[in-house]
Amino acid sequence: MENIALIESFSEFKDDKLIDRVTLMAILEDVFRNALKKKYGSDDNFDIIINPDKGDMEIWRNRVVVADGEVEDENQEIALSEARRIEPDFEVGEDVSEEVKLIDLGRRAILALRQNLISKIHEHDNTNLYKQFKDLIGDIYTAEVHHVRPRVVILVDDDGNEIVLPKEKQIPSDFFRKGDNVKGIIESVELKGNKPQIIMSRTAPAFLEKLFEQEIPEVFDGLITIKNVVRIPGEKAKVAVDSYDDRIDPVGACVGMKGSRIHGIVRELGNENIDVINYTSNIQLYITRALSPAKVSSIKIDEENKRAEVYLKLEEVSKAIGRGGHNIKLAGQLTGYELDVIREGSTAEEDDVELTEFSDEIDGWVIDEFAKIGLDTARSILKQNVADLVRRTDLEEETIQEVIRILKEEFED
């Protein structure tokens, strides 16, 4: 195979991998020099002339003419009689340039050269891909589902790049089919060997923040600032927003008329409940807003230990804690304070008993289930409807009935 023919056959890589011809030629020269080193021990005395416009190349070997029988280095020197077979008027001490054809390297070397070229192009391609997606970390990206596996979904973008969406980075309610378009943020790019692995996430708080930027013009333009985002993916999120322009209502602008602006974000996140809160540097007011929809009676702040005792009327406790404890957990994460709920308003004739006092009769995990929905005293449970308790907890009706029986016996005694 002639040099130019091999060059043309390699051009397919340029088209497939979107490598410009100049870069391809540089890679090609490097590959040929490696082949020459293996064949001749050194490539220092070889000239490789590449024409990127025509896509052809020439290899020339340069040697010094020495007298017959005095050749010490066959790669650097050529005997006078051999040199005169190239040109009859060569003399000792002159330089001889001789073109090297690919066939001179041998069939195995040519096959190895081709494989080396493929490897180098892939390496170049992977380096560019790594740099490209490194710059996209934290940005929203959309790709198509190519393959669904139990622990991961493999996505492919318009350029054929593979993107990985692990199970733990998916919203619990996510369900994908081949061909679906999936939106998320590029969370990280990791090198696995020489190949970059691009990780997408739909559970990161940054994904929700970027959705706000995408869907709400005032956030995109910087008129509204997102101060903090906390999420329990697919369940609930809280977003603190602020504006330096007093004429803008940041919460109203984010939610929109009848929720029109935020509706698309909620739908994208699998109907995740999103609370948008006005940020304030007044920590008492900030905690009060973060615990919405509960109405807080008062707050006692311990700034040194980043704790706050939140006093609530009995009927507000379950609202503050929220389903599964999500509301109070997110409020704590949003404000940076550990929140302790303190009940107020129990009357003397309605003496209550902490549920933990019944730990010898009621399993700890059952007590925890009630605590998650803000019910950690005997009377707070006895006031509830059984069907409602079944709906709000992960407990069976039979278990709830048994707990109610135990608690009723306490007050009958």
Side-chain angles (χ1 to χ4, degrees):
M1 182 184 288
E2 292 296 321
N3 293 0
I4 189 167
L6 185 65
I7 295 289
E8 289 305 317
S9 73
F10 287 156
S11 293
E12 65 191 65
F13 298 118
K14 177 182 77 69
D15 297 330
D16 290 344
K17 296 297 181 180
L18 301 177
I19 297 175
D20 62 271
R21 183 173 286 273
V22 174
T23 302
L24 178 66
M25 293 305 169
I27 292 173
L28 193 61
E29 179 176 356
D30 183 55
V31 167
F32 269 85
R33 287 200 173 275
N34 285 334
L36 292 171
K37 284 177 188 177
K38 287 183 179 179
K39 173 73 174 177
Y40 299 104
S42 172
D43 69 322
D44 293 341
N45 58 314
F46 287 86
D47 292 327
I48 299 179
I49 303 167
I50 298 178
N51 187 333
D53 295 325
K54 293 182 179 179
D56 61 7
M57 66 177 288
E58 297 174 355
I59 302 173
W60 293 87
R61 185 186 189 190
N62 304 307
R63 290 185 286 179
V64 177
V65 179
V66 297
D68 289 353
E70 295 184 9
V71 176
E72 294 180 359
D73 184 346
E74 291 184 355
N75 184 40
Q76 302 282 345
E77 299 169 337
I78 184 170
L80 179 61
S81 58
E82 186 181 345
R84 285 179 172 172
R85 283 199 290 271
I86 300 171
E87 289 287 344
D89 54 354
F90 273 126
E91 298 293 340
V92 172
E94 291 184 333
D95 293 329
V96 175
S97 292
E98 183 182 9
E99 187 173 4
V100 177
K101 301 294 185 181
L102 284 181
I103 196 68
D104 298 333
L105 299 178
R107 182 174 177 80
R108 285 188 180 181
I110 293 172
L111 291 173
L113 189 148
R114 181 181 176 84
Q115 187 59 46
N116 195 13
L117 178 69
I118 294 170
S119 176
K120 290 280 186 182
I121 288 176
H122 285 164
E123 184 180 321
H124 172 273
D125 191 49
N126 288 336
T127 300
N128 282 353
L129 190 64
Y130 181 81
K131 290 177 181 177
Q132 174 192 341
F133 279 91
K134 266 289 186 183
D135 292 338
L136 291 175
I137 288 177
D139 288 349
I140 282 185
Y141 205 78
T142 302
E144 184 178 296
V145 175
H146 182 261
H147 193 70
V148 179
R149 297 174 183 164
R151 299 298 305 167
V152 71
V153 172
I154 306 299
L155 311 169
V156 175
D157 68 8
D158 291 340
D159 295 325
N161 300 315
E162 187 177 283
I163 297 163
V164 176
L165 177 59
K167 186 71 174 176
E168 64 272 18
K169 307 291 184 185
Q170 300 171 28
I171 296 168
S173 60
D174 280 345
F175 178 77
F176 303 117
R177 291 188 179 90
K178 185 176 174 65
D180 288 348
N181 281 326
V182 178
K183 186 183 292 185
I185 64 160
I186 302 300
E187 186 173 70
S188 65
V189 184
E190 305 167 0
L191 278 174
K192 299 290 185 181
N194 288 326
K195 187 177 181 182
Q197 186 178 67
I198 305 156
I199 308 294
M200 179 184 278
S201 174
R202 287 174 49 79
T203 58
F207 181 40
L208 176 52
E209 184 173 346
K210 287 295 180 180
L211 286 172
F212 266 70
E213 287 183 15
Q214 193 176 73
E215 299 293 330
I216 299 159
E218 292 87 345
V219 175
F220 180 81
D221 293 336
L223 298 172
I224 294 174
T225 305
I226 295 177
K227 289 290 190 178
N228 197 8
V229 178
V230 291
R231 293 177 67 193
I232 298 172
E235 294 286 346
K236 192 173 180 65
K238 288 183 183 286
V239 182
V241 295
D242 196 11
S243 175
Y244 299 107
D245 189 337
D246 293 338
R247 295 169 298 178
I248 295 176
D249 169 19
V251 172
C254 289
V255 174
M257 188 73 69
K258 295 183 179 179
S260 58
R261 283 185 163 184
I262 207 167
H263 179 68
I265 300 174
V266 170
R267 189 171 59 247
E268 176 65 45
L269 300 180
N271 293 322
E272 192 169 302
N273 189 311
I274 302 173
D275 292 343
V276 185
I277 298 156
N278 265 320
Y279 173 80
T280 174
S281 56
N282 181 329
I283 191 61
Q284 291 212 9
L285 181 56
Y286 194 27
I287 291 172
T288 299
R289 289 173 177 173
L291 284 170
S292 177
K295 292 182 174 63
V296 176
S297 300
S298 62
I299 300 174
K300 184 178 178 181
I301 301 288
D302 178 357
E303 290 188 5
E304 185 177 346
N305 297 306
K306 289 286 183 179
R307 295 181 72 96
E309 292 182 349
V310 182
Y311 292 84
L312 299 132
K313 288 184 168 53
L314 197 61
E315 62 271 19
E316 298 297 325
V317 171
S318 61
K319 296 178 189 175
I321 292 174
R323 186 169 66 88
H326 294 160
N327 198 59
I328 195 165
K329 179 181 179 180
L330 290 176
Q333 291 176 357
L334 190 75
T335 59
Y337 276 72
E338 190 169 335
L339 307 179
D340 299 320
V341 170
I342 309 295
R343 286 175 181 76
E344 60 176 25
S346 294
T347 60
E349 62 271 20
E350 197 175 50
D351 290 335
D352 211 343
V353 182
E354 293 287 332
L355 204 57
T356 51
E357 296 293 321
F358 297 89
S359 57
D360 56 336
E361 297 177 85
I362 303 173
D363 290 337
W365 68 272
V366 175
I367 293 173
D368 290 342
E369 277 298 311
F370 285 115
K372 284 180 183 177
I373 61 170
L375 305 176
D376 54 11
T377 67
R379 289 196 184 277
S380 67
I381 292 173
L382 291 174
K383 287 181 179 179
Q384 305 299 317
N385 178 276
V386 173
D388 190 46
L389 289 175
V390 171
R391 181 179 59 81
R392 293 169 61 196
T393 68
D394 286 334
L395 301 172
E396 299 288 338
E397 181 177 348
E398 184 180 340
T399 304
I400 293 170
Q401 292 284 15
E402 176 61 17
V403 170
I404 290 172
R405 183 191 65 76
I406 293 169
L407 300 182
K408 281 182 176 178
E409 284 181 359
E410 169 69 19
F411 291 110
E412 286 171 1
D413 292 344

